[in-house]
Amino acid sequence: MKLKQTLLAGSLSLAMILLLSTVASASNKVNFEQNTATDNTYGYVDSEVDQFKTYTTYVKGKSLDTKLYKPVSGDTLVVVFHGNGEGGVEGKTNNYTQLAGNRLAVTYTEKEIQEKFKGAYVLSFQAPEDWYHDHTAEAKQVIDQACKEFGIKQKFVSGLSAGGLMSERMLSTYPDFFDGALFSCAAIAKNGTSVEGLGGDYTLDYATLTDENTLPDDFMHPEAGSKHNQTLKLQRPADFNAYLSNYNTIASSWTKYAYKYISTQRQQLENNTPTYYQIIDDTNYDATTSWSQHWSWIKMLNNDVTDSTNTIKTIDFITSLSSSKNTYQEKETSLPLAGKSDQENTFKFNLVAKVKDDGEKVTTAIIDLAGKKLKDTNLDAKMFKVTAYATDATGIASSQRVNYGNLIQYTADKPEEIAVEKAEVDSQGNIVLTLANEGVLNYTAPASRNLPMIMHYAIAPMTLAFVEEENPAPVTPSKEKQQTPDTKKTPAKTQTVKPKAQAKTKTKVVKSGDSTTILPYVGIAVVALVVIILLLTKKKKNQ
């Protein structure tokens, strides 16, 4: 009798333990690891920016930093010049910020625009300091090289702010070189009857002028002082007061002045292609945005500004000038997944960035579940705790940096908590977290440059429940011997993908990190329960 009771108690305990193990195995605590091995080196992916590859690098007096977007095929080239703020700092360039500062370069890679150009190369320049220094000769050399290499038949130029100034320099220096141009709020300074920037040099900032007779110190040569200005006989312009009052918005009168200058010049060359200009007063779309009027390029690049005749919009105008006969082929792009982690119970994630109107931002994090399927796909954003900080990617001294709420003011010990606005599962079964926007770019002082940061994001460990997955037929020992050495060393990278032909197999497993299948033990538990029930029934009859 005691033997039976002992047997019953032992069987019941074994069954309960196995059942509890079965339930617990469906859920496991997992960790998350940021993928930092991304193409752009800054710890995130951007489907638009990452398509640009380095074309030339800066060599003083010979070449400039450029990034190039290549279509599948095409014979058109769009040259773009960034604004003041995306150039080099203290002699350092990164050949990246000119793509990320705003949507100037990436706009011309959009599918609709590429289709109208029948496939266009996009060449994005970065100045070693700014475009107030004349780099027309170096730029022309790079453009000529690209035209020869890719068989270019049409060339267009586009720029904004200081890049508008550089565009005007190129147009005035090489008036018959480009087939069209589109630029916004060019930084031109009137000085008497001449227009500085149109073929000339513009290195001084009149806005800080205090002396009655001389211009301010050249910020590139502060040690020279006012003597430097007096030596060059630099005098403030007669219209200085009007200049100063409009300096912060780049006076619209400059745009009109440049338009008339360029139009007259082209007429003298008997170039009768159309030229237009337009002045807009509002750069905002709704009450949630507030841009300076100087940022008119936002609506220009969004094709939301018509010309002075109110008949054609900005982007439509420049694409209408295309005469390419190339057969257009769409370039397919996709966001890469982070890949599998080498660590047990760990999933890697990619940060995903997008260039917004005001610069590149981290918008989402995609957690690569490596083929595993969540039991519950209705995720709550509050389940995920995300923190982040940033480190300088340029080597600029920290004393030169001013923070505007960006992540560089946080550290690994004291990171910023990033709000998760939405959590969902995509069509591939991976987790997508929509994050509150945090700037990838940061501003420095006194150089006032837009600089990319290396992003460090962390997602706190949590418990996830995975569904039972169908598994293909067991691998025989002989087949295991055929595994490559690399495969044996990295078990996390050898998950078997279910072939379609075996989709109806009845063998099931519960995957939990690297743990082995426990379903056979479930069968044992069931048998044990049956034995218990039979013994209890027999005991009751005997009684």
Side-chain angles (χ1 to χ4, degrees), residues 292-331:
S292 162
Q293 289 183 351
H294 177 54
W295 288 38
S296 59
W297 59 78
I298 291 177
K299 289 194 171 180
M300 178 189 82
L301 297 173
N302 284 325
N303 203 30
D304 288 336
V305 182
T306 57
D307 63 20
S308 52
T309 65
N310 290 317
T311 58
I312 188 169
K313 294 183 177 181
T314 49
I315 297 295
D316 293 339
F317 164 71
I318 194 168
T319 56
S320 71
L321 300 176
S322 173
S323 61
S324 176
K325 303 299 182 183
N326 180 57
T327 300
Y328 174 67
Q329 300 177 60
E330 183 179 350
K331 187 174 184 178

Side-chain angles (χ1 to χ4, degrees), residues 459-477:
I459 303 175
M462 62 184 299
T463 299
L464 291 176
F466 297 101
V467 299
E468 297 179 0
E469 297 179 354
E470 295 181 347
N471 193 48
V475 179
T476 62

Side-chain angles (χ1 to χ4, degrees), residues 126 152 204 363:
Q126 184 179 45
I152 299 301
L204 297 175
T363 59

Side-chain angles (χ1 to χ4, degrees), residues 82-109:
H82 63 76
N84 190 30
E86 289 86 63
V89 184
E90 297 179 1
K92 301 180 188 299
T93 58
N94 55 39
N95 204 9
Y96 183 84
T97 311
Q98 75 270 31
L99 304 175
N102 48 61
R103 290 196 58 80
L104 174 64
V106 299
T107 288
Y108 292 102
T109 69

Side-chain angles (χ1 to χ4, degrees), residues 9-30:
S11 299
L12 182 59
S13 299
L14 176 61
M16 293 301 294
I17 291 172
L18 290 174
L19 283 174
L20 288 173
S21 298
T22 302
V23 173
S25 68
S27 299
N28 50 300
K29 192 171 184 179
V30 297

